[in-house]
Amino acid sequence: MRKRLFATIAFTALTAMTAVSGLLSGAAQAADPIKVGAFVSATGPASFLGDPEKKVLELYADRINKAGGIDGRPVQLTVYDDGGAADKAASFTKRLIESDGVDVIVGGTTTAATMAAVPLVERAGVPFISLAGAVVIVEPVKKWVFKTPHTDRMAAEKVMEDMKKRGLTKLALLSEDSGFGKSGREQTIAVAKERGIELVADETYGAKDTDVTAQLTKIKNNAAAQAVLVFGLGQGPAVVTKNYRQLGISLPLYQSHGVASKEFIRLAGGAAEGVRLPAAGLVVAAQLPDSDPQKKVVTEFTKVYEDSFNTEVSTFAGHAYDGLMIALDAVKRAGGTDKAKLRDAIEQTKGYVGTGGTVTMSAKDHMGLTLDAFHMVEVKQGDWSLVK
């Protein structure tokens, strides 16, 4: 009898311990972090793109965690700085996948860095939302790869749309010898044929060139040119813009969305006056009509960013915000971080209103933005002005 009593007590205690252990295990599992990995160019030639991206990812991961996380799960963010080097981007991508065990990657400041990561995420089956501009990132569609910025093709289309409005049909192209610049050149040539724009000059410059007057002099002496489009990012386009004014070229000057940051205006100084480029509504938030669905989103984001960092917002900061929000919204809809389900949920993003526009993705479109998401802006008195 006494042995049976002891056995019953022991069994009851063991059952209770097992139940408690199960509850604790369940609680621990529920609180497992959502592992978000990132590699950005926070330093180096593309730092004015990558630095705000890094700041935004860290800022919003912290804000989300302070608000209770995503369905009770904290966001664990791991960020690496590739310095703008594609080989480092590949190395960090491998580390994020193999060592850090991330659930999703949001990053890739430049096209070169992004494309270095693509084969790694495709092979590993890890969802990747790029922050870079070239259309090659998502065309052709890659199963595990998505992007938030508008493409270089869209930039060329928007520029030529504006040229036609101004009665201009002959374009001189000056592109940077980089991943973004090369892709931009290819897309500009293709779009020009479709839009009835004649390309009368095709020059290139190096990303580290400190003087581009030789190429610009050729364009200046080209009597057929009616406008000039520069495709590049980082400090190069500012150098081009300064040289352009120094040579006294009076043709309309267009830049790509690769310079949609106040840093470009600071670097180019007064030479930036009159430059036009396609950009997200974020840079002209206060000028958007109240009926624009983006107005509330970009106004609030601008306030949070500028209050947090005491500096002007840039579209690159917005790309990172959109990438993180799309990824975390997909985690909610997928019911967790199973990578295949998470990938599917990202692809099924519909009607997300972000800083870059309204995003609706599909199996055939891993960006989800239309040309309407782009606004033509012009530099006036050292600030962005919406072209109406």
Side-chain angles (χ1 to χ4, degrees):
M1 182 72 178
R2 189 175 294 173
K3 286 182 180 179
R4 189 179 301 168
L5 179 61
F6 285 154
T8 301
I9 292 171
F11 176 76
T12 303
L14 179 60
T15 303
M17 288 173 64
T18 302
V20 170
S21 175
L23 286 170
L24 289 174
S25 175
Q29 190 172 1
D32 281 349
I34 299 165
K35 296 182 179 179
V36 178
F39 60 95
V40 296
S41 306
T43 59
S47 61
F48 85 70
L49 290 75
D51 179 60
E53 291 169 352
K54 179 176 182 288
K55 286 175 178 174
V56 162
L57 291 172
E58 292 172 341
L59 172 66
Y60 278 90
D62 183 59
R63 285 170 66 90
I64 289 166
N65 287 337
K66 285 178 178 175
I70 302 296
D71 294 334
R73 297 177 63 181
V75 175
Q76 181 179 305
L77 177 68
T78 303
V79 185
Y80 295 114
D81 175 15
D82 61 36
D87 57 341
K88 288 184 178 179
S91 177
F92 287 137
T93 301
K94 187 176 181 182
R95 186 187 299 182
L96 287 168
I97 294 169
E98 297 179 0
S99 300
D100 300 317
V102 298
D103 301 309
V104 61
I105 297 175
V106 178
T109 299
T110 67
T111 297
T114 289
M115 295 310 292
V118 165
L120 299 174
V121 299
E122 286 286 292
R123 188 161 55 245
V126 176
F128 172 35
I129 302 177
S130 169
L131 310 180
V135 70
V136 69
I137 296 166
V138 289
E139 291 184 18
V141 169
K142 300 158 189 68
K143 181 175 181 178
W144 297 90
V145 182
F146 305 84
K147 73 190 290 291
T148 56
H150 315 76
T151 66
D152 43 11
R153 180 181 180 81
M154 292 169 70
E157 289 173 335
K158 200 71 177 179
V159 165
M160 292 180 203
E161 182 181 272
D162 190 69
M163 284 180 62
K164 284 290 187 75
K165 289 177 181 177
R166 300 168 86 176
L168 309 172
T169 59
K170 296 181 180 181
L171 178 68
L173 174 64
L174 178 57
S175 54
E176 185 176 284
D177 187 15
S178 66
F180 179 68
K182 289 176 181 177
S183 180
R185 175 182 176 273
E186 291 173 2
Q187 296 306 314
T188 299
I189 292 170
V191 172
K193 291 178 181 177
E194 297 170 5
R195 297 283 177 130
I197 297 291
E198 183 182 353
L199 201 64
V200 297
D202 183 8
E203 301 289 335
T204 61
Y205 68 93
K208 296 182 180 178
D209 286 354
T210 56
D211 187 274
V212 195
T213 53
Q215 296 93 317
L216 288 171
T217 298
K218 290 181 185 178
I219 291 173
K220 181 180 180 181
N221 294 333
N222 188 321
Q226 295 177 328
V228 179
L229 170 60
V230 180
F231 238 112
L233 50 79
Q235 297 186 10
V239 172
V240 172
T241 303
K242 284 183 175 181
N243 289 165
Y244 195 88
R245 302 306 183 200
Q246 288 164 357
L247 288 171
I249 302 175
S250 58
L251 300 175
L253 177 59
Y254 290 93
Q255 294 278 355
S256 76
H257 57 317
V259 303
S261 164
K262 276 288 188 69
E263 186 64 18
F264 164 72
I265 298 177
R266 273 194 290 270
L267 288 170
E273 193 71 13
V275 170
R276 287 191 179 187
L277 60 128
L282 178 61
V283 300
V284 286
Q287 299 173 49
L288 295 177
D290 292 339
S291 58
D292 192 312
Q294 266 194 289
K295 177 97 178 208
K296 184 173 184 293
V297 174
V298 294
T299 300
E300 289 180 358
F301 177 74
T302 298
K303 178 169 176 29
V304 170
Y305 184 88
E306 295 184 351
D307 286 351
S308 298
F309 303 115
N310 196 30
T311 187
E312 297 96 339
V313 75
S314 76
T315 56
F316 312 111
H319 298 334
Y321 172 82
D322 288 343
L324 183 62
M325 294 302 111
I326 288 170
L328 296 179
D329 179 63
V331 169
K332 286 183 181 179
R333 289 184 287 108
T337 48
D338 176 90
K339 291 181 177 62
K341 291 179 181 178
L342 180 52
R343 188 218 76 89
D344 290 349
I346 294 172
E347 188 177 81
Q348 292 159 9
T349 298
K350 284 185 175 34
Y352 164 79
V353 180
T355 70
T358 300
V359 177
T360 295
M361 295 189 189
S362 69
K364 294 181 179 179
D365 183 356
H366 278 196
M367 174 186 63
L369 292 170
T370 65
L371 196 59
D372 290 341
F374 250 154
H375 299 271
M376 184 58 64
V377 301
E378 181 176 326
V379 180
K380 287 186 177 180
Q381 297 181 340
D383 203 353
W384 305 116
S385 177
L386 188 62
V387 175
K388 308 212 172 149

